[in-house]
Amino acid sequence: MTTDAALLEPPPAEAVERQTAAPTVLTVDDEPSVLSALRRVFRAQGITTLQATNAAEGLALLKAHRVDLVISDMRMPEMDGARFLELVKNHDESIARILLTGYADMSSTIAAINQGAIHRYIAKPWDDQDLVLVVREALTRRNLEMQNAELTALTKRQNQQLHEANLTLESRVAARTSELQQINGMLDAAYEDLDNTFVLAVNVFSSLMEMRGGHSGHARRVADLSKETAKRLGLTERDVRDVYLAALVHDIGTIGFPDTMLEK
């Protein structure tokens, strides 16, 4: 006899048939007459049926076919319907599970519902319309649950992709910010060097003018007085600096004078 563990091994991918048209219902019962009656009911509804006379055959069919719903009789040899549907649940929890039972098996049916998470049970003898209604409702619920699972998985993937995109964007923004900070630092250093060069050039030019005029220190004294005056007038630090630099070259107009004029 085949063990439960062996029966529960997942089927190879190449053995699973993909069916996208009519739903497939697996019926398991040790009475051929019951299987024939179920086949007639579902054939009229356009539902494909697979049939087995015991639990081992039913699990073998599950491994070879895609099944949407399983209907199993409660009383079967070797393995009852409750245990069989529990194995079906372990094989694929998304498959809807319905138990056929007699009134004498009600206590066992309740236990099966609790242990095997059976969706519904149908008492023998059944009404064909009620059976079809129960099966349709179970298939509709299964489709909704599968769609919900697919949407949940899709949402999870999209959230993960969005999270990864955000991380990439944050990394790029951080890299760009660091690059801009480096550029700004280089510009600040270049501006500081340029400003220092400008101040040095003004001081050198002022000294050259004093050497020509023979008034050493004159431009510096005027610049210091002008700077102090600008401070007392409440000018900004930048304006005070400009006044000081302008005062250093206040005699710039004498550059065009001949030496004889400067000596008078």
Side-chain angles (χ1 to χ4, degrees), residues 212-213 254-264:
R212 183 169 181 255
T254 62
I255 291 178
F257 292 176
D259 292 339
T260 55
M261 180 179 293
L262 291 177
E263 293 173 356
K264 292 185 182 295

Side-chain angles (χ1 to χ4, degrees), residues 81-101:
R83 175 59 180 161
F84 169 67
L85 291 180
E86 185 178 353
L87 293 179
V88 172
K89 173 179 176 293
N90 295 335
H91 173 78
D92 186 350
E93 191 172 359
S94 68
I95 297 177
R97 299 171 296 280
I98 296 177
L99 186 66
L100 287 177
T101 180

Side-chain angles (χ1 to χ4, degrees), residues 158-196:
Q158 291 177 339
N159 288 338
Q160 181 63 27
Q161 292 173 357
L162 180 60
H163 177 66
E164 294 174 356
N166 287 337
L167 292 179
T168 302
L169 180 60
E170 290 176 0
S171 176
R172 294 175 60 184
V173 169
R176 183 58 177 167
T177 300
S178 177
E179 182 182 351
L180 291 176
Q181 289 175 346
Q182 293 178 358
I183 293 175
N184 289 336
M186 295 172 60
L187 291 176
D188 291 340
Y191 175 78
E192 184 177 356
D193 290 342
L194 181 62
D195 186 67
N196 292 335

Side-chain angles (χ1 to χ4, degrees), residues 72-220:
S72 174
D73 186 28
M74 180 62 183
R75 291 189 176 184
M76 294 188 299
E78 297 183 357
M79 183 186 302
D80 62 19
R83 175 59 180 161
F84 169 67
L85 291 180
E86 185 178 353
L87 293 179
V88 172
K89 173 179 176 293
N90 295 335
H91 173 78
D92 186 350
E93 191 172 359
S94 68
I95 297 177
R97 299 171 296 280
I98 296 177
L99 186 66
L100 287 177
T101 180
Y103 290 107
D105 300 324
M106 192 55 62
S107 60
S108 301
T109 301
I110 296 175
I113 292 174
N114 295 329
Q115 296 174 5
I118 298 171
H119 297 99
R120 294 287 297 272
Y121 73 90
I122 299 175
K124 292 182 177 180
W126 66 81
D127 180 83
D128 289 349
Q129 293 183 352
D130 291 342
L131 174 63
V132 170
L133 180 62
V134 169
V135 169
R136 288 295 184 187
E137 288 178 350
L139 291 174
T140 299
R141 184 175 67 175
R142 178 179 186 273
N143 290 336
L144 291 176
E145 290 175 349
M146 294 184 64
Q147 291 175 7
N148 182 66
E150 292 174 357
L151 290 176
T152 301
L154 176 61
T155 301
K156 185 176 181 180
R157 291 195 302 270
Q158 291 177 339
N159 288 338
Q160 181 63 27
Q161 292 173 357
L162 180 60
H163 177 66
E164 294 174 356
N166 287 337
L167 292 179
T168 302
L169 180 60
E170 290 176 0
S171 176
R172 294 175 60 184
V173 169
R176 183 58 177 167
T177 300
S178 177
E179 182 182 351
L180 291 176
Q181 289 175 346
Q182 293 178 358
I183 293 175
N184 289 336
M186 295 172 60
L187 291 176
D188 291 340
Y191 175 78
E192 184 177 356
D193 290 342
L194 181 62
D195 186 67
N196 292 335
T197 302
F198 171 71
V199 173
L200 178 62
V202 170
N203 280 277
V204 171
F205 193 63
S206 176
S207 298
L208 290 175
M209 289 190 297
E210 288 183 345
M211 290 174 60
R212 183 169 181 255
H215 303 288
S216 178
H218 170 68
R220 180 74 60 183

